[in-house]
Amino acid sequence: MKRPLDNEYDNEYDNSRSTDLEQVPKDFRDRHTRKFGEAISHILKVDPTLLHIIVKQDFPLFLEKEQEPQTVAHHYAKLASAILSQQISGAAARSIKARLMKNYNDEFPTHLQLHEDFQQPSGRERIRSCGLSARKVTYLESLTDYFINNEEEIERLFSGEDNDDEIVQKLTENIKGIGPWSAKMFLVTGLGRYNVFAVEDLGLARGCSNYLSNKPELVEKLTKSRVAAKRSKIKHKKLNWKIYDDDLVELCAERFAPYKTVLMFIFWRLSSTSVEAMEKNETNFVNK
């Protein structure tokens, strides 16, 4: 079995003591945003051994491109897309989204448009016929109602700073079908937040496990600094990688603050044994 990507490159960089952004190829830096450059510069100062996995492929989310306007419609579309894509393949999610948009002149419907359709049996059936399960129709209606009834609060909430925890709490408490993971991913893809870390994510847990597996001194240091053990709820059957307690994973991530979002993408890369799969997954994630 092919070793995870971090193990492939660790031997080459184990003796590294320092690095900076100048060691990152200029064309790679130029393709990505300045904020991302600041993030990887900070990350490499904490751990220079991550250089090779960072520059292995571009990070689609952080490429220089025209930014989408941060409107209520944009936020609604991002959260609705998260609901549509739950527990199905990326291809199936894209197909459902395309069929839904076809009913609205090939644009993603606003909360106002869907609210109007939800009031009529024919409109509800038109939404359902795009391939949504009855449960997802319920979730989408819950999201729509939240936006209809709280537009001013939503504008305040999503335009704020340093309020990630509040946003996650509001979304998970008020919208059926939006759990902590979906709310955190919205912070990343919808609001462009740089210090998000979803400890409950399976791929992230595996990537962190691969990262820590050959760093016993770091694990010992993290263990000594823990306040209280917080067991992970993640389970896996193959038992071919170690699941670290959530508090240790969080302590590991905290070393890279305030750029834990970028670290999360790096850990997702470290969880994969295929560069092609890694690239496809990152592109699909950004395009949801």
Side-chain angles (χ1 to χ4, degrees):
M1 180 178 178
K2 188 177 178 182
R3 292 180 301 169
L5 291 172
D6 58 335
N7 292 337
E8 290 182 24
Y9 306 122
D10 275 352
N11 290 338
E12 183 178 351
Y13 288 95
D14 271 348
N15 295 323
S16 297
R17 288 294 178 266
S18 64
T19 190
D20 56 36
L21 202 54
E22 292 303 315
Q23 291 184 262
V24 178
K26 185 177 184 301
D27 59 341
F28 179 91
R29 284 182 277 140
D30 290 345
R31 288 193 297 272
H32 294 80
T33 66
R34 177 174 294 185
K35 181 79 171 179
F36 177 76
E38 295 172 0
I40 60 173
S41 178
H42 176 77
I43 287 170
L44 289 172
K45 286 176 182 177
V46 176
D47 187 347
T49 71
L50 292 172
L51 175 63
H52 216 107
I53 190 64
I54 288 173
V55 300
K56 189 66 180 177
Q57 286 288 33
D58 286 348
F59 289 78
L61 183 65
F62 305 107
L63 291 172
E64 283 281 9
K65 53 186 177 293
E66 185 177 349
Q67 298 299 310
E68 296 180 81
Q70 294 290 301
T71 62
V72 171
H74 166 265
H75 301 323
Y76 177 79
K78 284 292 184 182
L79 287 165
S81 295
I83 289 173
L84 296 180
S85 64
Q86 288 174 356
Q87 298 181 327
I88 58 176
S89 69
R94 289 191 293 274
S95 176
I96 292 172
K97 186 174 179 179
R99 276 180 269 167
L100 182 64
M101 291 173 63
K102 189 175 181 180
N103 289 332
Y104 299 91
N105 297 319
D106 290 326
E107 294 184 356
F108 200 91
T110 67
H111 59 292
L112 297 171
Q113 289 173 310
L114 282 187
H115 176 69
E116 182 176 348
D117 273 354
F118 275 127
Q119 307 310 304
Q120 305 294 331
S122 59
R124 179 180 291 271
E125 179 56 32
R126 184 164 58 250
I127 295 168
R128 174 72 186 273
S129 67
C130 295
L132 281 76
S133 65
R135 178 173 293 182
K136 286 191 177 180
V137 171
T138 299
Y139 292 167
L140 194 57
E141 185 171 21
S142 175
L143 172 68
T144 302
D145 289 344
Y146 178 65
F147 270 69
I148 286 290
N149 297 321
N150 300 277
E151 190 163 325
E152 289 186 5
E153 180 188 63
I154 288 169
E155 290 179 343
R156 176 198 65 78
L157 191 66
F158 295 164
S159 64
E161 297 181 1
D162 299 322
N163 64 340
D164 290 0
D165 290 342
E166 181 188 8
I167 291 174
V168 170
Q169 180 183 0
K170 290 287 187 182
L171 295 181
T172 55
E173 287 181 351
N174 291 288
I175 304 170
K176 295 177 182 178
I178 297 293
W181 187 89
S182 294
K184 290 175 183 177
M185 295 309 103
F186 168 72
L187 290 174
V188 174
T189 63
L191 300 181
R193 300 295 173 91
Y194 266 81
N195 204 34
V196 179
F197 195 79
V199 70
E200 63 273 24
D201 183 87
L202 175 62
L204 189 151
R206 181 171 181 172
C208 186
S209 178
N210 289 340
Y211 175 74
L212 292 174
S213 63
N214 58 356
K215 294 178 172 59
E217 293 181 358
L218 176 57
V219 174
E220 182 180 1
K221 180 180 178 180
L222 296 174
T223 302
K224 288 181 178 178
S225 64
R226 73 195 309 183
V227 176
K230 185 166 64 173
R231 299 296 298 274
S232 174
K233 296 180 181 178
I234 291 173
K235 308 289 182 184
H236 68 86
K237 297 179 180 179
K238 292 185 178 180
L239 301 177
N240 57 349
W241 55 277
K242 179 177 180 179
I243 299 175
Y244 286 92
D245 289 343
D246 280 356
D247 62 299
L248 291 181
V249 176
E250 289 169 344
L251 284 170
C252 177
E254 199 58 40
R255 300 168 64 240
F256 299 88
Y259 299 109
K260 292 187 289 187
T261 297
V262 178
L263 178 72
M264 188 161 61
F265 277 84
I266 293 170
F267 279 178
W268 279 332
R269 289 188 172 191
L270 294 178
S271 74
S272 177
T273 58
S274 166
V275 174
E276 291 75 18
M278 174 188 77
E279 182 180 14
K280 181 180 178 182
N281 289 339
E282 290 183 18
T283 301
N284 288 343
F285 177 82
V286 172
N287 292 331
K288 282 183 179 178

